[in-house]
Amino acid sequence: MLAKWLTSQTVNIVDSIEDWQTAIQLCAKPLLQNNAISPDYIQAIFKLHESIGPYYVLAPGIAMPHARPEQGVNQLGLSMLLVKDGVKFNSEENDPVYLITLLAASDSTSHIEILTQLATLFGTQNDIQTIFNAQTPAQILSVINHY
Protein backbone atom coordinates (compact mmCIF):
# COMPACT_ATOMS: atom_id res chain seq x y z
CA MET A 1 0.00 0.00 0.00
CA LEU A 2 2.64 2.56 0.99
CA ALA A 3 4.76 1.63 -2.02
CA LYS A 4 2.04 3.16 -4.22
CA TRP A 5 2.80 6.56 -2.66
CA LEU A 6 6.41 6.31 -1.52
CA THR A 7 8.62 5.77 -4.56
CA SER A 8 12.09 6.70 -5.77
CA GLN A 9 10.56 10.06 -6.79
CA THR A 10 9.10 10.84 -3.35
CA VAL A 11 11.76 9.43 -0.97
CA ASN A 12 15.00 11.34 -0.36
CA ILE A 13 18.00 11.30 1.97
CA VAL A 14 20.24 14.17 3.05
CA ASP A 15 23.13 14.16 5.51
CA SER A 16 22.13 17.39 7.23
CA ILE A 17 19.79 20.32 6.82
CA GLU A 18 19.71 23.87 8.13
CA ASP A 19 16.42 23.88 10.05
CA TRP A 20 12.96 22.35 10.32
CA GLN A 21 11.46 24.75 7.75
CA THR A 22 14.04 23.75 5.14
CA ALA A 23 13.44 20.08 5.99
CA ILE A 24 9.71 20.44 5.36
CA GLN A 25 10.31 22.34 2.11
CA LEU A 26 12.69 19.66 0.86
CA CYS A 27 10.35 16.86 1.90
CA ALA A 28 7.46 18.63 0.13
CA LYS A 29 9.38 19.26 -3.10
CA PRO A 30 8.26 16.03 -4.88
CA LEU A 31 4.63 16.78 -4.00
CA LEU A 32 4.95 20.29 -5.38
CA GLN A 33 6.53 18.90 -8.54
CA ASN A 34 3.74 16.37 -9.12
CA ASN A 35 1.10 19.00 -8.22
CA ALA A 36 -0.27 17.04 -5.24
CA ILE A 37 0.09 20.24 -3.19
CA SER A 38 0.46 23.95 -3.77
CA PRO A 39 2.97 26.19 -1.95
CA ASP A 40 0.06 27.28 0.26
CA TYR A 41 0.11 23.86 1.92
CA ILE A 42 3.67 24.34 3.14
CA GLN A 43 2.83 27.81 4.43
CA ALA A 44 -0.20 26.37 6.28
CA ILE A 45 2.08 23.84 8.04
CA PHE A 46 4.47 26.64 9.01
CA LYS A 47 1.64 28.80 10.38
CA LEU A 48 0.22 25.91 12.40
CA HIS A 49 3.67 25.13 13.80
CA GLU A 50 4.10 28.77 14.83
CA SER A 51 0.69 28.93 16.51
CA ILE A 52 0.49 25.53 18.26
CA GLY A 53 4.02 24.13 18.12
CA PRO A 54 5.36 20.98 16.44
CA TYR A 55 2.03 19.11 16.59
CA TYR A 56 3.19 16.65 13.93
CA VAL A 57 6.28 15.31 15.72
CA LEU A 58 4.80 11.94 16.62
CA ALA A 59 7.56 10.06 18.40
CA PRO A 60 11.30 10.29 19.02
CA GLY A 61 12.91 10.98 15.64
CA ILE A 62 9.67 10.90 13.62
CA ALA A 63 7.58 13.78 12.21
CA MET A 64 4.57 13.79 9.91
CA PRO A 65 3.86 17.39 8.86
CA HIS A 66 0.37 17.97 7.50
CA ALA A 67 -2.37 20.58 7.30
CA ARG A 68 -6.03 20.58 6.26
CA PRO A 69 -7.05 19.42 2.77
CA GLU A 70 -8.46 22.84 1.88
CA GLN A 71 -5.14 24.51 2.71
CA GLY A 72 -3.50 23.58 -0.58
CA VAL A 73 -3.97 19.89 -1.34
CA ASN A 74 -4.78 19.06 -4.96
CA GLN A 75 -4.60 15.27 -4.62
CA LEU A 76 -3.58 12.63 -2.10
CA GLY A 77 0.19 12.51 -1.70
CA LEU A 78 2.98 11.26 0.53
CA SER A 79 6.70 11.99 0.61
CA MET A 80 9.55 11.02 2.90
CA LEU A 81 12.87 12.61 3.84
CA LEU A 82 15.59 11.04 5.97
CA VAL A 83 17.96 13.53 7.60
CA LYS A 84 20.97 11.48 8.68
CA ASP A 85 22.21 13.99 11.29
CA GLY A 86 18.70 14.87 12.47
CA VAL A 87 17.05 18.28 12.69
CA LYS A 88 15.44 20.07 15.63
CA PHE A 89 11.72 20.80 15.42
CA ASN A 90 11.54 22.28 18.95
CA SER A 91 9.83 19.13 20.20
CA GLU A 92 11.51 18.69 23.56
CA GLU A 93 10.82 14.98 24.01
CA ASN A 94 11.23 13.90 20.38
CA ASP A 95 14.13 15.94 18.93
CA PRO A 96 16.13 15.46 16.87
CA VAL A 97 13.88 14.30 14.04
CA TYR A 98 15.44 11.97 11.47
CA LEU A 99 12.42 10.81 9.46
CA ILE A 100 9.95 13.31 8.00
CA THR A 101 6.89 11.95 6.20
CA LEU A 102 4.75 14.67 4.65
CA LEU A 103 1.10 13.75 4.23
CA ALA A 104 -1.24 15.58 1.87
CA ALA A 105 -4.79 14.38 2.40
CA SER A 106 -7.33 15.52 -0.18
CA ASP A 107 -10.33 14.85 2.08
CA SER A 108 -11.10 13.52 5.55
CA THR A 109 -11.20 9.81 4.68
CA SER A 110 -9.04 8.81 1.68
CA HIS A 111 -5.81 8.79 3.69
CA ILE A 112 -6.99 6.55 6.56
CA GLU A 113 -5.44 3.39 5.09
CA ILE A 114 -2.14 5.23 4.57
CA LEU A 115 -2.21 6.41 8.20
CA THR A 116 -2.90 2.87 9.41
CA GLN A 117 0.08 1.52 7.47
CA LEU A 118 2.33 4.38 8.62
CA ALA A 119 1.32 3.79 12.25
CA THR A 120 2.27 0.14 11.89
CA LEU A 121 5.60 1.10 10.31
CA PHE A 122 6.36 3.75 12.93
CA GLY A 123 5.58 1.22 15.66
CA THR A 124 7.91 -1.44 14.26
CA GLN A 125 11.23 -0.55 15.86
CA ASN A 126 13.41 -2.80 13.68
CA ASP A 127 12.02 -1.34 10.47
CA ILE A 128 12.32 2.24 11.73
CA GLN A 129 15.93 1.57 12.74
CA THR A 130 16.63 0.14 9.27
CA ILE A 131 15.19 3.32 7.72
CA PHE A 132 17.18 5.57 10.11
CA ASN A 133 20.36 3.71 9.04
CA ALA A 134 19.57 3.71 5.30
CA GLN A 135 22.19 5.08 2.93
CA THR A 136 20.01 5.11 -0.19
CA PRO A 137 16.32 5.64 -1.00
CA ALA A 138 16.26 2.05 -2.30
CA GLN A 139 17.08 0.80 1.20
CA ILE A 140 14.17 2.80 2.61
CA LEU A 141 11.86 1.52 -0.12
CA SER A 142 12.82 -2.09 0.62
CA VAL A 143 11.28 -1.57 4.08
CA ILE A 144 8.30 0.42 2.76
CA ASN A 145 7.44 -2.42 0.38
CA HIS A 146 6.38 -4.55 3.38
CA TYR A 147 3.56 -2.13 4.20
Side-chain angles (χ1 to χ4, degrees):
M1 165 71 192
L2 292 180
K4 176 180 178 183
W5 303 103
L6 293 171
T7 67
S8 59
Q9 285 79 44
T10 58
V11 174
N12 291 295
I13 299 175
V14 294
D15 288 329
S16 61
I17 202 142
E18 190 175 313
D19 54 32
W20 65 266
Q21 295 97 328
T22 307
I24 289 175
Q25 288 172 328
L26 185 58
C27 189
K29 190 174 180 181
L31 299 181
L32 285 167
Q33 289 173 333
N34 70 15
N35 203 35
I37 62 171
S38 74
D40 292 344
Y41 192 67
I42 299 165
Q43 292 308 310
I45 293 169
F46 290 170
K47 285 178 185 162
L48 280 167
H49 182 114
E50 289 167 14
S51 66
I52 62 174
Y55 61 95
Y56 49 80
V57 180
L58 307 176
I62 299 173
M64 192 170 67
H66 60 282
R68 304 268 322 135
E70 64 273 10
Q71 291 177 299
V73 177
N74 299 319
Q75 62 192 30
L76 186 60
L78 196 63
S79 60
M80 186 174 276
L81 176 68
L82 176 66
V83 181
K84 300 294 288 175
D85 293 340
V87 61
K88 290 189 175 172
F89 276 78
N90 303 317
S91 176
E92 217 171 280
E93 296 175 15
N94 297 316
D95 274 341
V97 169
Y98 300 97
L99 186 64
I100 302 151
T101 304
L102 195 135
L103 173 66
S106 53
D107 57 44
S108 59
T109 57
S110 62
H111 63 290
I112 300 300
E113 193 173 340
I114 290 174
L115 283 178
T116 302
Q117 292 301 310
L118 285 171
T120 303
L121 168 63
F122 295 159
T124 307
Q125 196 55 47
N126 287 344
D127 285 346
I128 285 299
Q129 205 54 54
T130 300
I131 289 174
F132 282 1
N133 294 329
Q135 299 300 314
T136 66
Q139 291 172 324
I140 294 174
L141 292 172
S142 70
V143 173
I144 296 300
N145 288 335
H146 296 114
Y147 293 88

